[in-house]
Amino acid sequence: MDRVAVFPGSFDPITLGHLDIIERAVPLFDKIIVAIGTNSSKNYMFSLEQRIKFIEDSVAKFENVEVMAYKGLTVDFCDEVNAQFILRGLRNPADFEFEKAIAHTNRAITNHNIETIFLLTSSGKAYISSSIVRDVMRNGGKYEILVPDVVRI
């Protein structure tokens, strides 16, 4: 059985922190699906199509990474794509507490054994978040040092 991991998020936009997690997870799984969750009540800076393109261009060198969009619960999407793992990046203790609660909830609400795998973001990228990147972009700051080269506005 292939080891399939889903790396869910809004990726608005993908950051060097996200890319760090993907690059380090590539050798751990047979396939990684970067899964863009869609939430109609959320106001995104980038369209779904732009986010898909940013991610696809950023991960093109990895044969075992693909990009998909989904709606609904991540565990339901994992069932649809036969994923046994949810991949999450951790930047700090607050991320851990939040992600731990989600992981426990996911295990409680699914009939399948979907394991959540946590990777610590590399120390040089642990301060990067999409919300900070969006704020820097909106205010004309030097966002290019926080995102892959393909993310440009």
Side-chain angles (χ1 to χ4, degrees):
M1 175 185 278
D2 285 343
R3 293 168 315 202
V4 179
V6 167
F7 182 32
S10 61
F11 303 99
D12 187 33
I14 187 171
T15 70
L16 292 178
H18 295 130
L19 198 54
D20 172 63
I21 296 298
I22 294 166
E23 288 174 342
R24 292 176 33 238
V26 160
L28 304 176
F29 300 99
D30 298 306
K31 179 163 74 168
I32 298 172
I33 300 169
V34 180
I36 304 172
T38 55
N39 181 341
S40 58
S41 65
K42 208 169 179 185
N43 189 17
Y44 296 107
M45 181 175 210
F46 296 98
S47 71
L48 177 59
E49 293 75 22
Q50 286 174 302
R51 290 179 283 148
I52 289 171
K53 177 117 174 70
F54 289 155
I55 299 167
E56 285 177 342
D57 291 350
S58 297
V59 300
K61 65 183 177 183
F62 304 116
E63 292 181 14
N64 65 332
V65 178
E66 63 183 77
V67 183
M68 298 175 75
Y70 74 101
K71 290 182 181 177
L73 296 174
T74 302
V75 289
D76 291 340
F77 179 71
C78 288
D79 283 343
E80 288 174 31
V81 296
N82 296 314
Q84 306 86 15
F85 304 97
I86 296 173
L87 175 64
R88 300 299 293 160
L90 299 176
R91 296 170 297 187
N92 54 49
D95 278 357
F96 173 72
E97 291 301 325
F98 179 73
E99 294 294 345
K100 180 177 75 168
I102 293 172
H104 286 307
T105 302
N106 285 341
R107 287 186 64 88
I109 65 173
T110 184
N111 295 329
H112 306 286
N113 288 332
I114 297 175
E115 291 292 340
T116 301
I117 306 296
F118 298 117
L119 290 182
L120 298 177
T121 305
S122 296
S123 62
K125 297 176 180 73
Y127 66 95
I128 302 172
S129 74
S130 291
S131 57
I132 290 172
V133 169
R134 288 191 304 273
D135 194 46
V136 171
M137 288 175 145
R138 284 188 191 106
N139 290 288
K142 197 174 173 185
Y143 70 91
E144 297 88 352
I145 64 170
L146 306 172
V147 297
D149 290 340
V150 299
V151 179
R152 296 289 181 253
I153 57 170

